[in-house]
């Protein structure tokens, strides 16, 4: 049934200034439209260029359900190519990470080969195409490079040929990536530690909504972070709290803490919490990291870099980063009620190993499929996915601290318990879902 | 004096009992099986060198195991409102290494693990190595290392202990 296709008015009607219709989370047709519209016309995170350090190195993933290859060419540039032979559609490479042998991509089925920039290189027994329309065909074009931008190592792609320019789309929100990179004394990040892959049986937006939802930690995480706090206190140790306790305990800070940490909201659905401070502010110093930073940047700039305590930055709709602890989470929607969440961690080049240990510890404690914190988050997302089916109320409330002035635009700094980041996300959602849609 | 070697059958019995305590949710008894400096480790990758600078699925010391056990009993452990249950099915443990003088033994136990929550069932398989030490005549775990055959897969929530 086509309730929404080619009906931009019906889609826009799902997003009120302060309420969202449940279909946005439940309707398979809207999910298909999200993949065709929102996720093709915006900039989606692909991977980090340190995953493909040398010529011919590749990484494969899916963007909006499309298989892609992120590949380092002979010219040193990282490109994003469709992972599909131009001939019959065979996925060209199947490993997650690998290296193209002989400096080319070679199809496992009929042996067509491609240069590392995607151009068709050779076709076996090519004389068979003489006198055919092959030369002007789609197949002869080879692999059509996807628009991509490598921003300080973070590679984003826009699948559609039209859509906003990269810098225009992300704007000032890119300062969170800047800060994460500058936390390396060498100004460079490397993927390290392994990737956690956590299958969420819920709509992708429930995950993204939650990232800057400062009203849930003290409730949803009472049983994990609260228990960690009590267990440590009950141990009655005079020793400094271990790293795991430092990481758990702030999750059960009170409402005042979360309100005052502040949230910054940008256009196009991007935002970050932790404008003033965050749950990461009070971590102990690690080794001689601070000295290394001062040596690299000078005292004033080093203090400014390390003084940022941003919690989560949402690069709507696919990426969320935690610069302070060098961990990112990537949303890969698979179906209306199925989303793969990948957690990647980074080494700060030139920083002591203890910092990487802090990163991997956090990722394991908070973001793993075995995480007590993650269990309760996912439980809540699933509970929404199922609860929304209930009769009598088809709307999700986003009224908290809503102001009529938002009609003119959603951007600025707010108390972090405000639901304004989610209102901003849905405003971007409605815009990119309907932009260029027939009937608009 | 040469320490008396522990028979393999006694080591196997210990491994079977350890799994049974988890299946029966006798977590306090299970917790006491670990030495003070012990680790419970489930790596994320094959041949993972360590649990510090590499992310693991589990890398828990006794403090974290205590938190995990207490959290499972917490009335607001929402993901456990509908409780999970688990069943280990173990192959006979084999002795991989031993140092009777230091009372150290390493066993290897292939396993299948079932975790259920009402209509959902998760099945995992792999090999567990127990690094055991005999203290005052009683075996204790210094390291329990669980290597999943599909450690790099995307998993749903894994809520109990393997």
């Amino acid at each position: 049934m086509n309730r929404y296709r080619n009906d931009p008015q019906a889609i826009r009607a799902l997003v009120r200034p302060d309420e969202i219709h449940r279909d946005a989370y439940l309707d398979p047709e809207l999910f298909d439209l999200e993949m065709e519209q929102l996720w093709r016309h915006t900039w989606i995170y692909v991977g980090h260029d340190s995953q493909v350090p040398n010529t011919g190195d590749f990484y494969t993933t899916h963007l909006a359900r499309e298989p892609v290859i992120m590949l380092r060419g002979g010219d040193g540039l990282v490109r994003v190519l469709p992972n599909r032979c131009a001939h019959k559609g065979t996925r060209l490479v199947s490993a997650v990470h690998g290296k193209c042998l002989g400096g080319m991509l070679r199809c496992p089925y009929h042996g067509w080969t491609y240069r590392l920039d995607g151009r068709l290189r050779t076709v076996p027994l090519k004389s068979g195409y003489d006198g055919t329309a092959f030369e002007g065909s789609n197949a002869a074009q080879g692999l059509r490079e996807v628009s991509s931008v490598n921003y300080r190592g973070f590679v984003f792609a826009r699948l559609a040929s039209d859509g906003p320019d990269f810098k225009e789309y992300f704007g000032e929100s890119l300062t969170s990536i800047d800060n994460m990179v500058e936390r390396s004394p060498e100004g460079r990040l490397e993927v390290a530690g392994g990737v956690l892959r956590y299958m969420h049986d819920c709509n992708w937006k429930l995950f993204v909504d939650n990232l800057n939802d400062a009203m849930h930690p003290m409730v949803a995480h009472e049983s994990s972070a609260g228990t960690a706090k009590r267990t440590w206190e009950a141990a009655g140790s005079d020793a400094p709290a271990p790293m795991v306790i430092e990481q758990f305990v702030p999750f059960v800070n009170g409402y005042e803490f979360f309100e005052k940490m502040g949230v910054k909201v940008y256009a196009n659905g991007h935002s970050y919490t932790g404008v003033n401070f965050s749950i990461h502010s009070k971590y102990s110093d690690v080794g001689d990291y601070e000295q290394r930073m001062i040596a690299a940047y000078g005292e004033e700039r080093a203090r400014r870099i390390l003084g940022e305590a941003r919690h989560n930055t949402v690069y709507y709709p696919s990426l969320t980063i935690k610069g302070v602890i060098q961990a990112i989470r990537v949303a890969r929607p698979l179906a209306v009620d199925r989303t793969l969440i990948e957690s990647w961690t980074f080494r700060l080049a030139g920083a002591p190993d203890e910092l990487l240990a802090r990163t991997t510890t956090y990722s394991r404690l908070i973001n793993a499929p075995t995480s007590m914190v993650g269990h309760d988050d996912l439980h809540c997302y699933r509970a929404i996915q199922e609860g929304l089916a209930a009769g009598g109320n088809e709307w999700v409330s986003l009224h908290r601290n809503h102001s009529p002035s938002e009609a003119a635009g959603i951007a600025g700094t707010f108390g972090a318990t405000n639901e304004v980041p989610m209102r901003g996300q849905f405003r971007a959602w409605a815009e990119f879902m309907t932009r260029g849609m027939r009937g608009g | 004096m040469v320490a008396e070697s522990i028979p393999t059958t006694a080591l196997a019995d210990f491994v079977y009992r350890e799994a049974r305590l988890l299946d029966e949710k006798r977590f306090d008894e299970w917790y006491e099986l670990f030495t003070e400096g012990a680790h419970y480790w489930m790596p994320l990758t094959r041949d993972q060198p360590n649990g510090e600078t590499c992310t693991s699925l589990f890398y828990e010391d006794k403090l974290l195991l205590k938190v995990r056990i207490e959290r499972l009993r917490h009335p607001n452990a929402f993901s456990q409102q509908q409780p999970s249950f688990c069943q280990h099915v173990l192959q006979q443990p084999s002795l991989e290494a031993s140092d009777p003088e230091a009372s150290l033994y390493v066993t290897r136990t292939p396993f299948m693990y079932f975790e259920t929550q009402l209509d959902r069932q998760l099945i995992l398989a792999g090999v567990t190595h127990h690094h055991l030490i005999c203290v005052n005549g009683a075996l204790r775990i210094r390291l329990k290392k669980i290597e999943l055959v599909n450690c790099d897969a995307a998993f749903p929530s894994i809520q109990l202990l393997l």
Side-chain angles (χ1 to χ4, degrees):
Chain A
M1 188 173 66
N2 278 352
R3 283 198 292 169
Y4 294 109
R5 188 172 291 279
N6 300 322
D7 191 347
Q9 256 181 316
I11 294 173
R12 280 194 285 266
L14 300 169
V15 180
R16 294 175 177 168
D18 47 15
E19 288 185 309
I20 307 301
H21 192 270
R22 66 180 178 187
D23 278 8
Y25 298 97
L26 302 182
D27 189 294
E29 187 197 2
L30 282 170
F31 178 79
D32 287 342
L33 289 169
E34 285 178 336
M35 296 302 103
E36 294 168 28
Q37 301 281 335
L38 173 71
W39 282 71
R40 285 182 57 80
H41 292 85
T42 56
W43 291 91
I44 305 301
Y45 179 69
V46 185
H48 192 265
D49 70 0
S50 65
Q51 292 170 256
V52 291
N54 302 308
T55 297
D57 289 348
F58 67 79
Y59 163 66
T60 61
T61 185
H62 287 77
L63 305 178
R65 299 186 291 195
E66 296 187 22
V68 295
I69 313 169
M70 183 176 87
L71 180 65
R72 174 90 61 176
D75 53 6
L77 296 178
V78 175
R79 291 181 178 78
V80 179
L81 301 172
N83 193 358
R84 178 227 194 265
C85 182
H87 176 210
K88 290 197 74 171
T90 314
R91 192 172 60 190
L92 285 167
V93 285
S94 294
V96 177
H97 286 101
K99 192 171 185 67
C100 298
L101 298 176
M104 61 178 164
L105 287 153
R106 182 167 185 268
C107 180
Y109 194 15
H110 299 102
W112 289 30
T113 63
Y114 301 88
R115 297 179 200 283
L116 297 181
D117 62 6
R119 279 179 298 158
L120 186 59
R121 181 175 167 274
T122 59
V123 174
L125 212 60
K126 195 159 183 215
S127 59
Y129 293 98
D130 291 349
T132 71
F134 176 77
E135 280 309 325
S137 72
N138 283 306
Q141 307 302 310
L143 313 175
R144 287 178 198 174
E145 185 181 345
V146 177
S147 300
S148 68
V149 169
N150 181 349
Y151 185 78
R152 306 193 76 166
F154 291 76
V155 178
F156 292 82
R158 192 189 63 205
L159 291 164
S161 54
D162 61 313
D165 163 77
F166 177 82
K167 290 240 165 131
E168 170 201 324
Y169 183 64
F170 286 124
E172 286 295 305
S173 71
L174 291 171
T175 54
S176 288
I177 290 180
D178 294 340
N179 181 255
M180 182 165 166
V181 174
E182 286 162 2
R183 283 171 177 271
S184 153
E186 296 174 15
R188 192 163 50 83
L189 302 174
E190 295 163 1
V191 162
V195 54
L196 286 163
R197 303 173 66 238
Y198 193 173
M199 192 61 79
H200 281 42
D201 42 0
C202 68
N203 188 268
W204 64 272
K205 295 189 291 303
L206 292 169
F207 168 79
V208 178
D209 287 355
N210 185 61
L211 271 289
N212 284 332
D213 178 325
M215 286 297 289
H216 85 282
M218 65 296 285
V219 180
H221 304 311
E222 179 203 350
S223 73
S224 51
T227 299
K229 186 178 180 186
R230 272 196 313 282
T231 304
W232 175 248
E233 285 166 0
S237 172
D238 295 331
M243 187 188 286
V244 294
I245 296 299
E246 276 193 351
Q247 294 185 345
F248 263 134
V249 168
F251 277 80
V252 281
N253 284 345
Y255 289 110
E256 193 187 354
F257 174 91
F258 283 101
E259 167 67 8
K260 287 189 172 164
M261 78 172 169
V263 60
K264 187 122 179 165
V265 180
Y266 301 103
N268 299 325
H270 318 305
S271 62
Y272 73 84
T273 34
V275 178
N276 305 311
F277 53 82
S278 76
I279 62 168
H280 306 307
S281 294
K282 291 197 173 166
Y283 292 167
S284 305
D285 291 342
V286 171
D288 63 349
Y289 172 55
E290 203 175 302
Q291 287 74 46
R292 293 195 205 185
M293 286 292 287
I294 290 168
Y297 293 103
E299 175 131 16
E300 193 198 331
R301 189 163 170 220
R303 299 242 177 264
R304 204 166 57 237
I305 293 166
L306 297 175
E308 284 284 351
R310 300 184 187 192
H311 173 49
N312 288 310
T313 301
V314 173
Y315 289 101
Y316 192 71
S318 67
L319 173 68
T320 81
I321 76 164
K322 267 185 188 297
V324 181
I325 55 150
Q326 301 90 52
I328 67 169
R329 281 180 281 176
V330 184
R332 303 284 190 219
L334 304 174
V336 68
D337 56 357
R338 197 166 160 81
T339 310
L340 176 61
I341 305 298
E342 292 190 337
S343 295
W344 297 82
T345 44
F346 293 81
R347 179 196 299 279
L348 296 172
D353 267 359
E354 291 98 311
L355 233 68
L356 178 58
R358 186 171 83 180
T359 303
T360 59
T361 298
Y362 185 90
S363 211
R364 185 183 82 239
L365 287 183
I366 310 300
N367 300 333
T370 44
S371 158
M372 295 176 263
V373 171
H375 293 160
D376 285 321
D377 275 330
L378 178 52
H379 172 81
C380 292
Y381 309 156
R382 278 177 58 192
I384 296 171
Q385 195 75 33
E386 294 180 16
L388 281 175
N393 176 7
E394 298 185 357
W395 295 89
V396 171
S397 164
L398 292 181
H399 292 89
R400 182 176 288 280
N401 304 109
H402 173 253
S403 156
S405 68
E406 289 174 18
I410 297 184
T413 304
F414 306 87
T417 61
N418 194 319
E419 285 172 334
V420 63
M422 288 161 252
R423 291 192 293 272
Q425 285 161 202
F426 274 97
R427 179 153 324 181
W429 185 86
E431 184 191 334
F432 287 104
M433 284 290 277
T434 56
R435 192 187 262 203
M437 187 180 270
R438 260 194 301 139
Chain B
M1 185 186 97
V2 176
E4 198 175 326
S5 163
I6 306 239
T8 307
T9 51
L11 297 170
D13 285 347
F14 179 88
V15 170
Y16 292 140
R17 177 164 181 271
E18 189 257 336
R20 180 172 174 169
L21 290 175
L22 287 173
D23 293 343
E24 296 179 354
K25 297 194 176 184
R26 292 157 64 186
F27 294 122
D28 293 328
E29 290 168 74
W30 179 78
Y31 180 79
E32 294 305 326
L33 297 181
F34 288 81
T35 62
E36 277 315 302
H39 274 94
Y40 172 90
W41 184 21
M42 191 157 90
L44 179 61
T45 57
R46 298 175 184 89
D47 304 318
Q48 185 172 311
N50 65 62
E52 277 87 31
T53 56
C54 302
T55 309
S56 303
L57 289 159
F58 288 104
Y59 188 65
E60 313 228 326
D61 59 10
K62 282 200 93 170
L63 174 65
L64 278 176
L65 288 177
K66 186 83 168 169
V67 172
R68 195 171 281 276
I69 292 168
E70 294 298 329
R71 184 253 168 194
L72 284 171
R73 296 183 182 128
H74 195 288
N76 288 336
F78 299 111
S79 77
Q80 283 297 302
Q81 266 189 356
Q82 181 65 47
S84 297
F85 296 93
C86 70
Q87 178 66 56
H88 289 74
V89 180
L90 306 184
Q91 190 173 308
Q92 180 175 294
S94 58
L95 182 64
E96 290 293 292
S98 68
D99 179 354
E101 294 219 20
S103 289
L104 291 173
Y105 305 87
V106 180
T107 60
R108 175 186 185 277
T109 312
F111 70 88
M112 289 188 74
Y113 171 84
F114 301 77
E115 187 176 301
T116 71
Q117 193 170 31
L118 204 60
D119 301 329
R120 291 164 177 267
Q121 181 169 267
L122 170 68
I123 302 174
L124 299 169
V127 170
T128 299
H129 282 92
H130 287 81
H131 293 234
L132 303 172
I133 185 166
C134 190
V135 186
N136 300 328
L139 285 168
R140 290 286 176 270
I141 303 168
R142 298 218 306 195
L143 173 67
K144 180 177 179 181
K145 184 178 177 188
I146 303 141
E147 293 172 301
L148 294 181
V149 67
N150 62 339
C151 56
D152 50 1
F155 294 110
S157 293
I158 302 170
Q159 298 202 54
L160 298 179
L161 291 151
L162 281 86

